[in-house]
Every structure is written in structure tokens, then in C-alpha cells.
Amino acid sequence: LMIRRPPRSTLFPYTTLFRSVDKLSDGTSVTRYAAPTWWYDLDNAILFLDEIDRAREDMQPLAMQLTLDRRAGGRSLPDNTIVFAAGNGLKYQTATLDQALCNRFAIVDFTPTASEWVSWASDPANGVHPAVVQFITQHKNLLDIPEGKRGVPNEPVTSRRSWTFLGRTLMNREDTRDSLPEVAGRDNRLMVYAAPFVGEVAANTFASWVRDNFKPLDIMDIFNGKLKSPKGFQLTQVIQALRDVMEVMNRDDIKDEQRINAALFYSRMGHEPFSAFFEALDDRHGDIINKSPELKGAVRALLDAKAKFYAKPSEGTSAATSTEATAEADDSADAPKKGRKKKSV
């Protein structure tokens, strides 16, 4: 399915500003309302009406027409279009939806947990600085300050949205992306950066935590053998570093000893991270495996684990039956030969 999210300015587009006048064959003039550009892309799609409870009351009938009649402005939605809507509910200053409009939806009350936000923010594609992810992992109570405890109106609000903005800003600045603890230790500079996003209280706590607890992961420390184990780092940090590590692995100036150090680092994390690392290696790295007994053993253990995972029972025999037969064979092997009875076929 293709999700189409109409811009807020065109969410309810059928006003007198979007119309044309056509003349029919008999000379009659007909007013036709013009559809926005995204309307023509609706094919096997989800039409997502975001912030529906912020629409003006006189515009809500259009949402009702879209969901009930699947029409608007004289045009029909394609049959394979699904209409979804989202709103913030009564805890914010939003319009109260008409009961008739509410009756056109199956309404689900959904509040993402802090752990779900951390899982989302951990994805490098979302561009949130690892320090913010680690901080919220350990301070989930600061992800969203309850409405009743928020500060003065029109001041920064501590929320998952503001933490996301802060995390992306820290990633976009070269100094904060690469050396955040140093920034935090210089004249409360990190607190000054963060306060406009999340407020002074949360910013001060965040800056202090970064200064005292955040450990940035330098991938060259992995290659040079200074960092032998992921202990002390968040899993998200190590996974996020994998792409950069693989880029360095392919550089001509990297020695085999450094490549072995990187491979051993990921082998000590367990089978899944090491598998991701191992499968990203190209053919020219095959020789380094034989140069390190520890790495060779790690690769053998990984391959054995994969073989066991993908192993299938014998044809016509269930896994339980196969296991029971093996156990029976083991028991009979340990039993004394004296007194055994020959089984008839």
C-alpha cells in the first residue's frame, strides 16, 4: 500500500479557491472543484487525514463525505483506497469532532510507550543522536513531561517530538555529532543548545549525563585494538557503527591486523551482530580468517549455529520423534550388553 499524507494546507481543499468553470455542449456553465495533485496518485493507497480534530468545524462535513460516501468535490475515491485519520484527543486544545463523524471511524486510543520511541529513534535512518537515545533509555520518565507539570505557556515543552528535534540537530552539527562530551564539558554549552528544545530542567539533566556517562564509539579504536569489547556501550551504538566499520574495512590503507580486530569485536557480541558483520564482508577478506585462530573459531561457531538453526528433520519424521529416537539410541548405547533381548523385525 502507498500511504498518502495530504499537506495540512490541502487537507480540505474544496473551497471557492479551487474551482474551474466548464461549458457543456448545450452551452450550460458548470462549476467543477479542482482536486489537489495527490488525489490523482490514489491507487491501492491509504489516505491519511492527519490532525483531523484540528480542522475547522465547517470543514468536518468534507471528512464525513470522504469516509462515508468516499467522494469529495464530485470525484470518487478509487475502490482500493483506505481512509485513516489521526488526532490528539481532548487533552489538547482541539476541536470536538461531531458524533456523526466519529461514528464513521473505528476509534483506537493509541499512546506509544517510551520503549517504542527508543526503538524507533535507534534506527540510524531517523537521524537521532545516540546520546539522546541512550539518555532516554535510562530516563524514560523525561521523554514526555505530563501535561499538568509543564511550564509556562509558549515555553519549550519536554516531549518525544522535542527530543527528536534535539537529536537530529545534534547529528547535523559536526562538533556535537563527533565530540558531544567535550561540548557538554565546555561552559554548559550543551545545556544552552538543548534548552530551547526540551526546556532548561531536562536540558540540564541531559547535559550532565552526557558529560559524566556518555561514551562515544570511535570506530578507529575498534580497528586499532583499543576497544576489544562492546561492554559499556548501547547495542544501538554498536549496530549504528557497523555501516561505518564496513566502509573502513574496504579501504586500502587498512591492514589485515586491523581488519581482524574489527571482526573479533563483532564476534564477541554474539551470533546475530557477527552474522551481519560477516555477511557484509567481500571476497578479499577471506584470508584474514585463517590468520587468527580466535576469528577462525568464531566463524566456525557461527556457521555451526546457522546449520543447527536451518536443520530440518528427516523426511516423514517429526522433530519430536527424531529427538525421542536419538534419546532412545543414546540410552541403549549406555545400557549394559548383558541381558539385552534381540528385537524382532
Side-chain angles (χ1 to χ4, degrees), residues 318-335:
S318 67
T321 305
S322 178
T323 304
E324 292 169 0
T326 303
E328 182 179 342
D330 292 341
D331 290 341
S332 62
D334 294 334

Side-chain angles (χ1 to χ4, degrees), residues 18-195:
F18 300 89
R19 69 181 181 181
S20 61
V21 178
D22 295 337
K23 287 190 175 182
L24 303 181
S25 58
D26 61 358
T28 305
S29 296
V30 179
T31 299
R32 302 186 188 278
Y33 288 94
T37 55
W38 52 262
W39 184 278
Y40 299 100
D41 293 331
L42 293 177
D43 182 28
N44 194 30
I46 294 176
L47 178 60
F48 180 36
L49 308 179
D50 197 13
E51 306 282 5
I52 192 172
D53 52 355
R54 292 188 181 276
R56 299 198 315 266
E57 187 174 351
D58 60 324
M59 290 296 180
Q60 290 188 17
L62 177 60
M64 192 182 306
Q65 187 180 19
L66 278 172
T67 55
L68 180 63
D69 300 330
R70 304 178 63 78
R71 292 178 56 83
R75 290 176 172 80
S76 298
L77 292 173
D79 292 338
N80 54 8
T81 303
I82 302 173
V83 181
F84 273 82
N88 291 313
L90 297 178
K91 61 181 180 180
Y92 296 99
Q93 295 179 353
T94 56
T96 301
L97 294 181
D98 187 278
Q99 288 295 313
L101 177 57
C102 290
N103 200 33
R104 267 68 183 176
F105 288 96
I107 299 177
V108 179
D109 188 9
F110 172 66
T111 303
T113 65
S115 297
E116 288 169 333
W117 183 89
V118 167
S119 177
W120 171 85
S122 298
D123 186 344
N126 293 315
V128 180
H129 198 286
V132 173
V133 179
Q134 288 186 46
F135 176 75
I136 296 301
T137 300
Q138 300 179 24
H139 300 81
K140 290 184 172 66
N141 61 309
L142 290 180
L143 178 59
D144 289 296
I145 298 297
E147 188 78 17
K149 295 185 179 180
R150 292 181 180 175
V152 180
N154 302 322
E155 291 293 324
V157 176
T158 306
S159 68
R160 60 193 65 207
R161 181 180 286 114
S162 59
W163 281 115
T164 300
F165 289 160
L166 173 61
R168 288 173 172 170
T169 301
L170 296 178
M171 284 296 288
N172 290 332
R173 292 180 58 97
E174 184 176 350
D175 58 338
T176 54
R177 180 179 64 246
D178 301 329
S179 55
L180 194 60
E182 296 178 14
V183 174
R186 292 200 304 264
D187 303 325
N188 290 326
R189 189 171 301 180
L190 181 56
M191 195 275 287
V192 174
Y193 285 166

Side-chain angles (χ1 to χ4, degrees), residues 258-280:
Q258 292 175 304
R259 292 189 173 95
I260 291 172
N261 288 336
L264 288 174
F265 176 87
Y266 279 94
S267 73
R268 293 163 186 151
M269 291 186 61
H271 290 315
E272 289 188 16
F274 185 45
S275 177
F277 175 89
F278 183 70
E279 291 178 0

Side-chain angles (χ1 to χ4, degrees), residues 9 100 156 190 218 251 299 301 342:
S9 60
L190 181 56
D218 187 343
R251 282 178 10 196
V299 172
K342 186 176 181 179

Side-chain angles (χ1 to χ4, degrees), residues 180-191 204-215:
L180 194 60
E182 296 178 14
V183 174
R186 292 200 304 264
D187 303 325
N188 290 326
R189 189 171 301 180
L190 181 56
M191 195 275 287
N204 187 53
T205 306
F206 173 65
S208 299
W209 179 87
V210 170
R211 184 176 59 249
D212 299 333
N213 298 285
F214 178 62
K215 296 170 62 177

